[in-house]
Amino acid sequence: MAGHVTAKLKRSLKAFAVVGLVGAVAVFLARPFVPFVPFGNDSGPLDTTPPAYIDLEAEDRAPSTPESGDGELEDIAHRPVESVLQIGSGEMLTELLSRAGIASGEAAQAAEAIFTRIDPRTLKAGQKVTITFAPSPYGFGRGPFRQVSLAADPVRDVAARWTGSDFESVETRRQVTRQVAHYSGTIKSSLYESAGNAGVPVPVILAMIKTLSYDVDFQRDIQPGDTFDVLFEGWYDTKGKLVRAGDLLHAGLELSGTQISLYRYEDPQGQSDYFTANGENVKKALLKTPVDGAKITSGFGMRNHPILGYSKMHKGIDFGVPPGTPIQAAGDGSVEMAGPFGAYGNYVRLRHGNGYGTAYAHMSRIAQGIHTGRHVSQGQIIGYVGSTGRATGPHLHYELLVGNTQVNPMSIKVPTGIRLAGRELERYLSHRRQMDQLMSSIPSATHIGVGAARLGRLGN
Ligand SMILES: [Zn+2]
């Protein structure tokens, strides 16, 4: 699975780098990137703290500049010798250096210099380490060990360099600019696949799915021919290659003609969340699918009861999922009931706002801490799929209640809670217009500098 994802990531990044280059050449007016330091006051709502690094290996990294202090480099045929090694699983830097044939004393000194700049614990198996040796005085083979360097993160290289008497640590920064990228396309099978093929980086696709899952049932709602639209931030190097994906700024889907459009919005207090086009917070709606990867095995309505044998009203929805699958609270709320409940088996009922309730039955077990009166937040695990009570096999029986009456979760439009209003709504709508303008100005599969975007000099 992990290998599959990595291969996918690499493939999509390659596509991304190619198409990205076009945009980078077209407009390249962004300011240089300074990690973890907020941009100036003029940067407005696009200003966000970069998320944790994602490891996007810079494969075509320029070789480090060799040292030429000792006069041995004059003959151009006698170039320094570089070798690139990957850190093995559990391998320490000193071990890697000795694997490269470096004496333990030198290896220890070089590693010590490197670790004045980075935390040894941040080194990962598979990470590339470049070792440079002086040119051989004989014209073949290699001379003495001169430098070891590695990428501390996507924008920073650290090295330990021989000074003639010891190793000094050196840090170099790659020039990276923050840009906004836009992608749109048609869904053939799944959003994951189609967005990936279009070149959207995997972390961005995952963020899209997470954000849209409050409004979209990915098992049911997506049809071939539906379209997606995504706007996100990314940090790009001078070759137009994405080195780090940033925040998802907009995620849109058009599903059989229905438009779903979500925008990231940061309030004046710096809290950010996703809102629908008219300013409703996506998170406050109840989740459509309280279990991951679920297939509906029995819908709401009359059916022949599999155990009782006669026609009976099925007052919920059955999701066929393997036993033990975690069940998530469909929304914020409080636990109204938790425990064995007749034919329902192990059962949890939650009460949300506006008279809505949700109930979850046949659990193998109820999660720890889920007791009557306790508060739960949306997405919190409240139990695990099982087949307790009257059930033919493991599944989640899920009910949506209005008051105490079960209603069909698939047909009712559950109201959203928080909705921006007044000045806050105005501020949001202006932000939304800015994002819409950005999207219409950036051709699909390209990215442009944020600075240029903010000045409104787009589309030429
Ligand atoms: Zn059921």
Side-chain angles (χ1 to χ4, degrees):
M1 185 63 195
H4 171 72
V5 169
T6 309
K8 250 206 152 113
L9 179 68
K10 284 212 165 136
R11 241 182 299 136
S12 55
L13 285 172
K14 267 181 194 144
F16 194 79
V18 171
V19 289
L21 199 56
V22 179
V25 171
V27 191
F28 203 79
L29 295 164
R31 287 160 291 184
F33 170 70
V34 184
F36 300 113
V37 177
F39 293 97
N41 296 330
D42 63 328
S43 42
L46 279 174
D47 230 1
T48 52
T49 307
Y53 287 121
I54 52 166
D55 189 18
L56 307 172
E57 187 64 53
E59 283 165 19
D60 53 356
R61 188 152 59 87
S64 46
T65 317
E67 270 303 272
S68 58
D70 50 12
E72 289 173 358
L73 301 180
E74 281 164 21
D75 183 356
I76 203 151
H78 290 179
R79 288 178 180 279
V81 180
E82 255 189 18
S83 84
V84 179
L85 272 71
Q86 287 191 348
I87 297 176
S89 177
E91 188 176 46
M92 293 193 296
L93 185 58
T94 48
E95 293 169 330
L96 178 139
L97 292 171
S98 66
R99 181 149 66 84
I102 294 160
S104 62
E106 278 186 313
Q109 278 184 40
E112 197 182 319
I114 288 269
F115 296 138
T116 59
R117 302 265 180 188
I118 57 164
D119 184 338
R121 289 169 298 184
T122 61
L123 296 182
K124 291 187 292 275
Q127 192 170 344
K128 287 177 185 165
V129 176
T130 305
I131 302 168
T132 313
F133 299 90
S136 163
Y138 313 110
F140 59 90
R142 65 191 200 193
F145 170 46
R146 285 292 175 255
Q147 174 174 296
V148 53
S149 70
L150 52 89
D153 56 51
V155 298
R156 204 162 55 100
D157 288 331
V158 291
R161 209 175 265 181
W162 178 249
T163 62
S165 57
D166 61 359
F167 284 90
E168 64 170 2
S169 70
V170 190
E171 184 175 305
T172 49
R173 277 167 194 274
R174 276 178 252 172
Q175 184 161 354
V176 171
T177 50
R178 188 171 58 158
Q179 307 209 0
V180 172
H182 178 222
Y183 283 78
S184 57
T186 303
I187 299 170
K188 288 198 178 76
S189 51
S190 69
L191 174 64
Y192 186 87
E193 183 116 35
S194 301
N197 289 341
V200 181
V202 169
V204 175
I205 302 175
L206 296 178
M208 276 179 90
I209 292 173
K210 188 176 168 218
T211 307
L212 288 160
S213 64
Y214 296 102
D215 285 301
V216 178
D217 179 348
F218 280 91
Q219 304 295 327
R220 287 159 36 95
D221 296 349
I222 298 211
Q223 304 292 332
D226 289 342
T227 59
F228 69 89
D229 201 22
V230 58
L231 189 73
F232 62 91
E233 280 185 312
W235 279 265
Y236 292 84
D237 67 15
T238 49
K239 293 175 185 164
K241 182 170 177 169
L242 180 77
V243 292
R244 193 203 313 178
D247 282 315
L248 174 69
L249 302 175
H250 167 265
L253 286 178
E254 193 173 307
L255 304 174
S256 311
T258 305
Q259 185 70 42
I260 295 166
S261 228
L262 305 176
Y263 298 82
R264 183 181 190 278
Y265 169 67
E266 195 170 299
D267 68 19
Q269 289 75 44
Q271 293 286 324
S272 68
D273 214 334
Y274 291 88
F275 292 86
T276 63
N278 45 23
E280 286 173 4
N281 186 323
V282 291
K283 255 190 215 147
K284 300 304 164 184
L286 294 175
L287 292 178
K288 283 206 164 182
T289 314
V291 275
D292 264 349
K295 278 194 186 69
I296 292 176
T297 47
S298 182
F300 192 92
M302 294 303 285
R303 66 163 182 185
N304 251 331
H305 195 277
I307 290 179
L308 302 176
Y310 53 84
S311 190
K312 193 176 184 295
M313 181 69 183
H314 185 228
K315 291 181 172 178
I317 283 183
D318 290 346
F319 292 105
V321 268
T325 303
I327 300 166
Q328 301 169 349
D332 289 2
S334 60
V335 180
E336 194 170 51
M337 194 182 153
F341 186 42
Y344 282 112
N346 291 327
Y347 171 88
V348 170
R349 189 163 69 221
L350 305 177
R351 198 45 72 178
H352 311 286
N354 303 323
Y356 283 86
T358 51
Y360 313 78
H362 309 310
M363 290 182 181
S364 59
R365 65 185 175 90
I366 293 167
Q368 250 183 350
I370 301 299
H371 306 294
T372 304
R374 288 289 178 88
H375 179 81
V376 290
S377 35
Q378 187 170 59
Q380 186 180 335
I381 293 167
I382 54 169
Y384 301 88
V385 170
S387 52
T388 55
R390 195 187 294 145
T392 48
H395 71 279
L396 168 68
H397 172 94
Y398 173 64
E399 291 181 357
L400 175 68
L401 302 117
V402 176
N404 286 314
T405 308
Q406 290 95 341
V407 295
N408 186 351
M410 295 301 154
S411 66
I412 198 157
K413 183 156 169 41
V414 177
T416 52
I418 287 190
R419 191 182 174 139
L420 300 174
R423 289 186 68 155
E424 180 89 65
L425 179 63
E426 272 170 45
R427 189 173 178 271
Y428 168 75
L429 292 176
S430 132
H431 167 74
R432 199 201 85 188
R433 276 192 294 274
Q434 195 183 3
M435 293 297 107
D436 287 341
Q437 202 184 333
L438 257 178
M439 274 186 290
S440 58
S441 317
I442 309 173
S444 180
T446 56
H447 48 93
I448 63 158
V450 178
R454 290 193 49 73
L455 293 169
R457 288 189 267 109
L458 296 169
N460 306 313

